[in-house]
Amino acid sequence: MLFYDCSTAPSPRRARMFIAEKGLAIETHDISIAEGQQLQPEFLAVNPRATLPVLVTDEGTTLTENLGIAAYLEAQHPEPPLMGRTPDEKGLVLMWNAIAEQQGGQPIAEALRNSNPHMKSRAIPGPQNYEQIPELAERGKARVATFFDVLEARLQESPFLSANHFTLADITAFVFVDFARVIKMRIPETNTASRTWFDNIAARPSAA
């Protein structure tokens, strides 16, 4: 297998944590988004959509989305189970993973990409350029605040998001919550369950 990573970006970090939790050692190429390497012909030949992460499987299949990468690795290496043990858990993992992506990751990206001067004309990742919309940055921050409340409500009743053990959903939410620092947002001090959950995951070797 061959893994295309970017050490500074949240989406590749999700795949990197999943790989680490599985205890796998995969050949890795680091692609610098800051230097625009994802837009160079060498990488576009691997992924024309110019996004990371990418996993090229032993069979030669190119997987360019976190959920596809996780599903492949879970099928190849089922232990430890990170995508649920029972039918209910499997459904909850995908449900909470989607909530973390749509209600956490997307608004953080909106806030960052529509306000950071270094991302002018790069409001959406990929090969095309899109201009920034400042109103989306403000809306993104408001949505992130709501996401923190959604997490807290769930974690008040469960030590992990989708099961009684660590899963893909926790990886996704943790990475995005940590990345929210780039828009100067953190878990509120009053959200004690979320802060405990975050600190516990931050202490895992895969989060280093």
Side-chain angles (χ1 to χ4, degrees):
M1 289 185 283
L2 181 59
F3 177 54
Y4 290 86
D5 193 5
C6 176
S7 59
T8 59
S11 288
R13 186 185 184 193
R14 293 167 56 192
R16 191 164 66 245
M17 284 186 67
F18 196 95
I19 291 167
E21 290 285 342
K22 289 291 184 182
L24 302 175
I26 300 175
E27 181 183 350
T28 298
H29 289 183
D30 196 77
I31 304 297
S32 173
I33 292 176
E35 296 177 7
Q37 291 179 353
Q38 81 279 16
L39 300 172
Q40 296 302 310
E42 295 83 0
F43 183 73
L44 291 175
V46 177
N47 180 15
R49 294 176 51 245
T51 59
L52 292 151
V54 175
L55 180 72
V56 180
T57 72
D58 286 334
E59 296 78 13
T61 300
T62 300
L63 302 173
T64 64
E65 296 293 334
N66 264 293
L67 196 55
I69 291 170
Y72 173 82
L73 294 176
E74 184 88 348
Q76 289 278 24
H77 306 276
E79 296 295 332
L82 297 177
M83 297 186 74
R85 298 186 178 106
T86 67
D88 280 6
E89 281 188 5
K90 291 177 186 293
L92 286 167
V93 169
L94 294 184
M95 182 185 84
W96 278 102
N97 188 74
I99 290 171
E101 287 184 335
Q102 296 166 12
Q103 299 180 34
Q106 287 182 6
I108 292 169
E110 281 188 348
L112 174 65
R113 286 186 165 272
N114 287 284
S115 62
N116 191 317
H118 297 295
M119 292 186 172
K120 184 175 175 59
S121 301
R122 295 295 299 159
I124 297 176
Q128 286 82 34
N129 291 333
Y130 292 91
E131 292 300 325
Q132 294 175 326
I133 302 174
E135 291 80 5
L136 290 181
E138 293 304 313
R139 187 182 72 177
K141 289 184 177 182
R143 292 179 63 203
V144 172
T146 299
F147 175 62
F148 285 151
D149 291 340
V150 170
L151 285 184
E152 180 66 13
R154 172 59 175 168
L155 294 168
Q156 286 282 355
E157 60 187 30
S158 173
F160 298 100
L161 282 179
S162 57
N164 62 0
H165 60 94
F166 182 79
T167 71
L168 171 68
D170 297 293
I171 292 175
T172 300
F174 169 81
V175 169
F176 286 138
V177 168
D178 193 28
F179 193 64
R181 67 185 183 278
V182 300
I183 58 169
K184 296 181 172 57
M185 295 190 70
R186 288 294 195 183
I187 298 171
E189 291 188 8
T190 53
N191 292 19
T192 54
S194 299
R195 293 174 71 88
T196 297
W197 164 86
F198 182 89
D199 290 343
N200 288 340
I201 296 176
R204 299 176 76 95
S206 66

